[in-house]
Amino acid sequence: MPKPIQCIGDNVSLTTVTIISPEAANGRNVAALGVVRALASTQKTGVFRPAVCKKETFTQTLLDAANVGETIEQARGVCPKRARHDKNGSRADIVAAYETTVAAIDTEAMVIVGTDHSCVNDPETFAFNADVAADWQSPVFLAVCTINRTPEQVRETIKACTATVEEHGSAVLGVFVTGADEEQIPDLKAFFADADVPTWVLPKVDFEEDDAAEKAAEAFARNVPASEVHAALEAPFKAPVTPYAFQYGLLGKAKAVRKTIVLPEGAEDRIIAAADYLLERDIVDLIIVGDKEAILARGEELGLNSLGKAKFQAMDDETVLAPMVAKLCELRAKKGMTEEQARKQLTDASYFGTMLVVLGKADGLVSGSVNSTANTVRPALQVIKTKPGASLVSGSFLMCFKDHIAVFADCAINLNPNAEQLADIAIQSAETAAAFGLEPKVGMLSYSTLGSGRGPDVDLVEEATDLVRQKAPDLQVVGSVQFDAAWSPTVAATKAKGNDVAGHVNVFVFPDLCAGNIAYKAVQRSSGAVAIGPVLQGLNKPVNDLSRGATVQDIINTVALTAVEAQR
């Protein structure tokens, strides 16, 4: 199988922790500064603030305690107002800024400190902080204030906050009970001695005072041994993979070894907007097919500034067209293609773009925002062709759910596959899953679970399942299986009792194109999952298709995915 592609959080040597609080005041800063100092005592430690006002001064205090020479600009994500009004867009930009910072500094640990207290009450702020912790696959330290709360109320607040953090995909590995009077500390320590995770008690420190940082450091050191902080962060933690983490992991991988991708649909606004984003960040090199001056003029109308970094390829450029015609005639000689027929064929932008890949001028192609899947795939099948040993080309989607990734197939190519084809689709899709870091567990979907229903359609799926086991005996597969029994451990415990794969499937193989295409779009639109693809499986070179309903972000994701495939 291909080498797994690493995404955000795959650098297991980097220690990360996010410190968040339901009120972000009355002691959160004491905890944050103390944790930075504790980690910096043994590791190169950086700081990041996902949403912070440029006028605040505490970030600089944290940077003074860190030890990697990080600038305050590198430590900041977005402003709090932006985070309130555009949470999804802010999350994307925060992850991108964090990735850029981590790549730029020499660090072994990162302490992320959530949003500050604000006079503007946003009830979703705590959940937002939990989301961004999950985005960069960071565990959480909670800071919960005891002022005006009994110990029992503090405990219930911790439980509620922990539930929110877990619901959003991360985990709480430690808790700071803050704002305590000195005489309260012994009783609070005793009260929380049997807590599920390490729970430390910190006294009040007024950060308005001149020597607040020194007082906070002394208070933390007196009540929280650095060794306990390190030990808490070594606890087992299953890192989530959120859509933002996966997408920006793709962008980072694409940027690491830049490839050239051709975009045949250069007159489409979404294509050039996506191209501008990718070019501005130097993620890939692009060849845009079309009239350079017209595309640049349209880009200027749309407020795009980086399209000039692309290479533009006119379709009537004889220096490119002549060798392209000759090569196409050579490849299609058995079909009797003449030069006249080849020139006519190459008036199709998808065909023209595909031939740029064949000639080695580009490493991959992305099309389909205007053209149909057939118009994108047909040229690839005719001149790029399938990999040795591949019996067909299939299309899978990487479905990015709130805290994990799954593969859905075939959602793009094969109408009514027979058992042999369905087995090959399953094996190709498992290889795609493995390439993106998943341990594939395949579910061959049907309206029956392990014999609960009968009929020709069930028989086909069960035959395909047997073929998968013969062709790939090490692959974990269950079939036939209903979607709920494949997805849910609870349902699987009833419908597929004793089966180790049911309930844990991450590669969902649909019995036909109708079911697969409906399912991915229904899940995408109703659940908020991000669908990346389709990934065309089985071709000699990466050619990927877009839905004609693709957003700019969809196109960005698909181009990055294609570039990463080309690296393999």
Side-chain angles (χ1 to χ4, degrees), residues 4-302:
I5 296 168
Q6 293 184 325
C7 297
I8 185 172
D10 282 346
N11 181 0
V12 295
S13 64
L14 181 66
T15 300
T16 62
V17 62
T18 300
I19 302 170
I20 59 176
S21 167
E23 46 271 301
N26 298 327
R28 192 282 314 270
N29 288 358
V30 180
L33 181 59
V35 171
V36 172
R37 286 177 176 267
L39 295 186
S41 66
T42 59
Q43 296 171 280
K44 296 177 182 177
T45 301
V47 170
F48 193 78
R49 306 295 312 281
V52 66
C53 179
K54 290 185 177 180
K55 295 180 181 179
E56 60 82 43
T57 59
F58 182 61
T59 301
Q60 187 58 58
T61 302
L62 293 173
L63 290 173
D64 291 342
N67 57 0
V68 292
E70 184 183 355
T71 67
I72 197 163
E73 289 77 18
Q74 290 173 317
R76 287 173 174 154
V78 302
C79 75
K81 184 176 181 180
R82 166 92 193 283
R84 285 198 304 272
H85 293 288
D86 180 17
K87 288 183 170 58
N88 287 335
S90 294
R91 283 175 66 184
D93 288 343
I94 287 166
V95 173
Y98 177 78
E99 284 287 278
T100 300
T101 295
V102 171
I105 62 177
D106 180 18
T107 185
E108 298 167 323
M110 288 295 291
V111 179
I112 301 105
V113 182
T115 52
D116 293 326
H117 176 73
S118 173
C119 293
V120 178
N121 181 37
D122 180 356
E124 297 180 358
T125 295
F126 184 80
F128 174 78
N129 282 298
D131 278 332
V132 294
D135 285 339
W136 43 60
Q137 301 180 304
S138 168
V140 168
F141 280 168
L142 285 176
V144 176
C145 183
T146 190
I147 296 175
N148 296 326
R149 287 186 178 125
T150 66
E152 290 79 8
Q153 290 168 335
V154 172
R155 182 176 58 197
E156 291 305 307
T157 303
I158 291 169
K159 285 182 179 179
C161 290
T162 299
T164 298
V165 169
E166 291 176 350
E167 180 187 352
H168 289 256
S170 189
V172 174
L173 298 188
V175 176
F176 296 98
V177 177
T178 65
D181 292 325
E182 288 291 344
E183 61 272 17
Q184 290 179 292
I185 292 177
D187 290 341
L188 285 168
K189 285 182 176 180
F191 185 85
F192 289 104
D194 60 350
D196 293 336
V197 297
T199 301
W200 305 284
V201 182
L202 291 170
K204 298 176 190 175
V205 174
D206 185 355
F207 265 79
E208 296 299 318
E209 297 179 5
D210 292 339
D211 58 350
E214 290 75 15
K215 287 182 177 179
E218 189 277 329
F220 190 94
R222 190 172 68 249
N223 292 283
V224 186
S227 60
E228 292 185 9
V229 173
H230 286 278
L233 292 176
E234 291 172 359
F237 169 62
K238 184 179 179 182
V241 182
T242 70
Y244 298 97
F246 189 79
Q247 290 173 70
Y248 284 91
L250 274 182
L251 295 177
K253 288 294 293 184
K255 186 172 183 176
V257 183
R258 279 166 58 182
K259 294 293 182 178
T260 300
I261 306 301
V262 60
L263 302 175
E265 300 166 324
E268 163 60 42
D269 285 356
R270 290 168 295 160
I271 291 288
I272 61 174
D276 184 80
Y277 179 97
L278 293 160
L279 292 164
E280 181 181 355
R281 291 156 179 80
D282 296 321
I283 291 166
V284 291
D285 296 321
L286 294 176
I287 299 174
I288 302 177
V289 175
D291 180 82
K292 178 178 179 179
E293 298 308 319
I295 293 170
L296 289 176
R298 180 56 180 158
E300 187 174 344
E301 291 174 2
L302 295 173

Side-chain angles (χ1 to χ4, degrees), residues 323-401:
M324 193 179 282
V325 168
K327 185 66 176 178
L328 183 55
C329 288
E330 175 192 332
L331 292 171
R332 304 287 287 165
K334 290 183 179 180
K335 297 294 183 180
M337 180 164 282
T338 65
E339 180 178 333
E340 181 181 356
Q341 290 171 330
R343 284 185 176 273
K344 183 177 180 181
Q345 189 81 74
L346 291 167
T347 60
D348 181 318
S350 292
Y351 225 113
F352 185 93
T354 303
M355 286 303 297
L356 289 174
V357 177
V358 172
L359 292 175
K361 296 181 180 294
D363 302 299
L365 174 144
V366 173
S367 185
S369 68
V370 177
N371 290 288
S372 67
T373 294
N375 283 350
T376 298
V377 175
R378 188 182 300 112
L381 288 173
Q382 290 179 354
V383 296
I384 290 178
K385 302 184 179 179
T386 56
K387 294 177 182 177
S391 65
L392 49 67
V393 172
S394 60
S396 69
F397 277 87
L398 301 174
M399 302 296 293
C400 303
F401 294 96

Side-chain angles (χ1 to χ4, degrees), residues 484-485 488-499 502-503:
D484 59 351
S488 167
T490 303
V491 175
T494 300
K495 289 188 173 184
K497 190 174 182 179
N499 189 286

